[in-house]
Amino acid sequence: MKLSIANYNENIEINFDVITQLCGQNLPIKNTIVDSICKHFSNDKYKDYEERLIDNILIDGEVPGRKQWECCRISNKDDILATIQMNKGSILGKCIKESINGFDCQNDLLEIDNILLRIFDRFNQVMFSQQPIELQYTQEDLFSMIQQTSVRTKDGEDIHVLPVEDVLKVFIEIVTMQQRMIPEKRLYVFENVDHYMNEACYVNFVKECEKIAKLSNIWFIFTTSLKGYIYISPDNIESINVINDVVYSMPAMEHIIDFANKYYPISRIWNQDDVIQILKIAIHDIGKREALLQSDELVFLKLMNDTLDLKTYWEKRPSTPEIQCLLDPNML
């Protein structure tokens, strides 16, 4: 799919799929994309200063319905934890409510309901038998009691102590459960994930999300800015977008391999693994004007390591044609 976003006098166009990654370092444009998507697929009214966001997104040339997705925006670890705590709007809260309404719980709830009615009757007899008031209990109070329970670790600690890897595992399980119990089309937007998970955690998490997306109506958007924070596979590469001075959407894997084999300045046969390894390093700099190769940092690192009697090696020493390619502004 093509997702277009009107931003003042310009139009931003990205590739959009069940797993969409927004890379690069143009944070204002990325924020505009995320703000536009999350606002459109929310139930919130547009404020006066948000008029420019009204119907400013198109999917394949058409304005999507505001209820096409149930959208959840996650910006940090606390936002993830909020989805697995007990409240009416959380994912866990919605799953518990669905379970309570299920037939399997009704007999147990009825038994608890009768016990609570007897307890309240005793309270009223002891405390208010001579008074014109009484404590009143309804079945809705039981539902409120369940929803007010706290979620803690099995050791009784606050769930905020859990490492983000464990929190993400619980999130995956809860999301899967919700989709099984209440199958609807949902969109989860994880922004600035490089602020609260490491590279390996990010890649593993996106892989798990990809598995869910293939089996359900759940879509995911991830925004990252730092080198290494990218998950690349032949299936998802076309939904990777780089947001820098220029907005660039990745082509199919075979096109990238053909391009590398055709234009690389020395004879080399490129394959899929080669391309993925190079893109992991370079992808956040695609589309940046005057992107700098920080050779001074590499030299400084070598000088410092030399003083520690540590040798610094090139992972792959560039050949003369490769260096000429880097120096020539009009190589292609």
Side-chain angles (χ1 to χ4, degrees):
M1 292 183 178
K2 287 290 184 181
L3 174 66
S4 300
I5 296 174
N7 181 36
Y8 296 109
N9 295 325
E10 66 175 335
N11 192 61
I12 306 164
E13 185 172 277
I14 63 173
N15 288 345
F16 184 49
D17 210 335
V18 292
I19 298 291
T20 301
Q21 296 178 85
L22 305 181
C23 307
Q25 292 153 2
N26 192 330
L27 297 182
I29 295 298
K30 283 201 285 189
N31 288 340
T32 295
I33 295 172
V34 170
D35 289 344
S36 299
I37 292 172
C38 292
K39 189 68 179 184
H40 186 86
F41 296 115
S42 73
N43 293 321
D44 299 336
K45 293 182 178 179
Y46 288 93
K47 299 179 175 62
D48 292 341
Y49 59 84
E50 294 176 321
E51 287 186 0
R52 69 184 182 88
L53 301 180
I54 298 176
D55 291 342
N56 73 323
I57 70 173
L58 301 175
I59 296 180
D60 289 340
E62 297 183 359
V63 177
R66 295 197 69 189
K67 294 185 178 180
Q68 182 167 332
W69 278 282
E70 178 187 307
C71 185
C72 177
R73 185 174 187 170
I74 295 171
S75 302
N76 49 52
K77 180 183 174 182
D78 285 347
D79 287 346
I80 306 172
L81 288 169
T83 68
I84 60 179
Q85 290 176 322
M86 279 297 293
N87 58 68
K88 293 181 180 180
S90 71
I91 299 174
L92 181 59
K94 292 176 181 177
C95 289
I96 294 295
K97 182 178 180 181
E98 190 69 17
S99 296
I100 289 174
N101 293 331
F103 180 78
D104 293 342
C105 289
Q106 292 304 305
N107 289 335
D108 293 334
L109 289 173
L110 183 59
E111 184 176 347
I112 296 171
D113 196 45
N114 290 330
I115 292 172
L116 287 171
L117 282 170
R118 291 199 298 271
I119 290 173
F120 274 77
D121 283 343
R122 289 174 190 167
F123 285 156
N124 287 325
Q125 290 173 10
V126 170
M127 291 183 275
F128 302 119
S129 60
Q130 304 300 319
Q131 305 299 327
I133 61 172
E134 66 177 7
L135 296 173
Q136 292 194 352
Y137 162 79
T138 64
Q139 194 174 60
E140 286 73 19
D141 296 324
L142 174 58
F143 296 157
S144 297
M145 290 166 57
I146 294 173
Q147 290 176 336
Q148 290 174 12
T149 54
S150 60
V151 180
R152 305 185 72 83
T153 71
K154 290 186 177 179
D155 295 329
E157 295 184 285
D158 191 291
I159 59 175
H160 286 80
V161 305
L162 291 173
V164 69
E165 291 85 354
D166 290 345
V167 174
L168 292 173
K169 289 177 183 176
V170 176
F171 173 84
I172 290 291
E173 187 170 340
I174 294 296
V175 165
T176 304
M177 181 192 307
Q178 183 188 31
Q179 199 64 19
R180 184 172 60 249
M181 298 172 67
I182 317 169
E184 296 179 359
K185 200 168 183 180
R186 298 183 171 91
L187 174 64
Y188 293 97
V189 181
F190 286 82
E191 57 181 337
N192 303 323
V193 292
D194 37 21
H195 292 184
Y196 51 94
M197 60 179 93
N198 61 36
E199 297 173 30
C201 177
Y202 171 67
V203 171
N204 290 333
F205 180 57
V206 179
K207 286 181 180 178
E208 291 301 314
C209 292
E210 188 176 52
K211 292 177 185 177
I212 298 175
K214 289 179 178 179
L215 300 174
S216 66
N217 284 327
I218 302 181
W219 291 47
F220 296 90
I221 296 175
F222 304 93
T223 76
T224 62
S225 302
L226 301 181
K227 184 175 72 174
Y229 282 83
I230 186 67
Y231 168 58
I232 305 174
S233 74
D235 292 336
N236 82 334
I237 192 166
E238 291 182 69
S239 58
I240 296 175
N241 305 275
V242 190
I243 317 297
N244 281 315
D245 297 310
V246 175
V247 177
Y248 179 76
S249 299
M250 298 299 296
M253 180 66 74
E254 57 267 24
H255 293 161
I256 302 174
I257 295 174
D258 289 344
F259 176 84
N261 286 328
K262 182 176 180 180
Y263 290 107
Y264 200 74
I266 62 174
S267 178
R268 175 177 175 180
I269 303 301
W270 289 77
N271 59 38
Q272 180 177 295
D273 290 339
D274 294 332
V275 168
I276 289 176
Q277 291 306 312
I278 292 292
L279 286 177
K280 284 180 180 179
I281 299 170
I283 197 162
H284 288 285
D285 288 326
I286 294 175
K288 285 176 65 176
R289 291 187 178 92
E290 301 178 357
L292 298 177
L293 298 175
Q294 300 295 339
S295 58
D296 54 343
E297 293 178 6
L298 297 177
V299 171
F300 192 82
L301 174 64
K302 182 182 186 303
L303 292 174
M304 294 299 292
N305 281 345
D306 285 348
T307 67
L308 302 173
D309 199 26
L310 297 173
K311 298 299 181 184
T312 306
Y313 297 96
W314 290 85
E315 184 176 353
K316 176 183 176 296
R317 185 180 297 274
S319 68
T320 300
E322 288 174 314
I323 295 173
Q324 289 176 345
C325 176
L326 293 175
L327 294 175
D328 188 343
N330 301 308
M331 191 69 183
L332 295 181

